[in-house]
């Protein structure tokens, strides 16, 4: 009986990665991102990016992400959000930028990464969810988590035009984002 449970857990981790197992067992490191389409559950990866994970949780707890637009969405690439200052990709939180926490974890469909400028240590509040594999980002952007359920809702987020670098007019918004442990 115990061997079967261990085998089932091992298969789950192998199939979905450590973030999937973590999201089910660690509400302190799980985010609920509510969209108008449904709930997106993100398992955070403090093992990869502890400073970035803490920043996302802090801002979620402050309500910073509530009603923030998905300002840049490129079909087949990613959906970017998290600019609670201006809503257009040029702003950030009141906190200082974070040092890069790059890893060897690949950017694949459902990976959540921190957006930044061309300076590696410039991530602040903005993040993106990969709609497809994006190996060209590997080792150059911080992986902060992984969508463990609700990718079908991310797929529905309004896309911008490729000609306009994915900028979205009248964009969809995060309804609310919370740390799972805080949800009553």
């Amino acid at each position: 009986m115990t061997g079967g449970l261990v085998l089932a857990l091992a298969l789950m981790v192998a199939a979905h990665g450590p973030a999937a197992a973590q999201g089910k067992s660690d509400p302190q490191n799980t985010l609920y991102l509510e969209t108008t389409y449904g709930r997106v559950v993100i398992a955070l990866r403090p093992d990869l990016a502890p400073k970035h994970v803490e920043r996302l949780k802090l801002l979620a707890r402050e309500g910073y992400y509530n009603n923030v637009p998905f300002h840049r969405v490129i079909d087949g690439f990613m959906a970017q959000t998290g600019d609670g200052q201006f809503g257009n990709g040029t702003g950030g939180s009141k906190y200082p930028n974070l040092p890069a926490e790059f890893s060897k974890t690949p950017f694949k469909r459902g990976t959540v990464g921190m957006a930044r400028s061309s300076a590696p240590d410039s991530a602040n509040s903005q993040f993106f969810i990969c709609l497809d594999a994006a190996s060209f980002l590997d080792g150059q952007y911080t992986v902060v988590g992984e969508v463990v359920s609700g990718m079908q809702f991310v797929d529905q987020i309004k896309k911008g035009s490729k000609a306009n670098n994915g900028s979205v007019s009248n964009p969809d918004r995060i309804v609310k984002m919370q740390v799972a442990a805080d949800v009553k």
Side-chain angles (χ1 to χ4, degrees):
M1 179 78 168
T2 305
L5 183 60
V6 171
L7 178 60
L9 182 58
L11 289 172
M12 184 179 79
V13 170
H16 301 288
Q22 185 178 21
K24 294 196 183 302
S25 63
D26 188 1
Q28 285 295 337
N29 286 303
T30 302
L31 293 175
Y32 292 157
L33 188 158
E34 304 292 344
T35 72
T36 56
Y37 307 108
R39 175 179 280 177
V40 179
V41 180
I42 299 169
L44 296 172
R45 295 291 307 268
D47 58 316
L48 297 178
K51 292 177 179 149
H52 290 78
V53 165
E54 284 307 312
R55 175 65 57 84
L56 288 179
K57 293 188 323 187
L58 171 69
L59 294 174
R61 286 181 165 131
E62 290 180 350
Y64 180 85
Y65 292 115
N66 300 345
N67 200 38
V68 172
F70 284 92
H71 64 271
R72 183 172 175 241
V73 184
I74 300 173
D75 193 27
F77 176 30
M78 60 85 213
Q80 184 174 336
T81 186
D83 179 1
Q85 184 178 16
F86 302 121
N88 62 10
T90 62
S93 74
K94 63 185 178 184
Y95 301 106
N97 290 345
L98 295 165
E101 294 179 298
F102 301 158
S103 69
K104 294 184 187 297
T105 300
F107 282 85
K108 60 184 184 181
R109 178 173 166 75
T111 298
V112 180
M114 292 297 288
R116 62 170 177 82
S117 71
S118 59
D121 298 331
S122 61
N124 186 289
S125 63
Q126 294 185 47
F127 62 94
F128 58 91
I129 301 171
C130 290
L131 302 173
D132 205 345
S135 61
F136 56 92
L137 300 177
D138 293 356
Q140 298 182 59
Y141 285 79
T142 298
V143 172
V144 72
E146 179 181 355
V147 172
V148 293
S149 72
M151 247 340 262
Q152 72 272 26
F153 305 128
V154 177
D155 290 334
Q156 294 178 52
I157 293 169
K158 183 178 178 184
K159 312 295 186 286
S161 72
K162 287 192 180 189
N164 207 11
N165 198 25
S167 182
V168 183
S169 58
N170 193 24
D172 286 323
R173 295 175 174 270
I174 296 173
V175 174
K176 187 174 195 174
M177 192 160 96
Q178 296 176 282
V179 177
D182 300 344
V183 176
K184 307 261 186 261

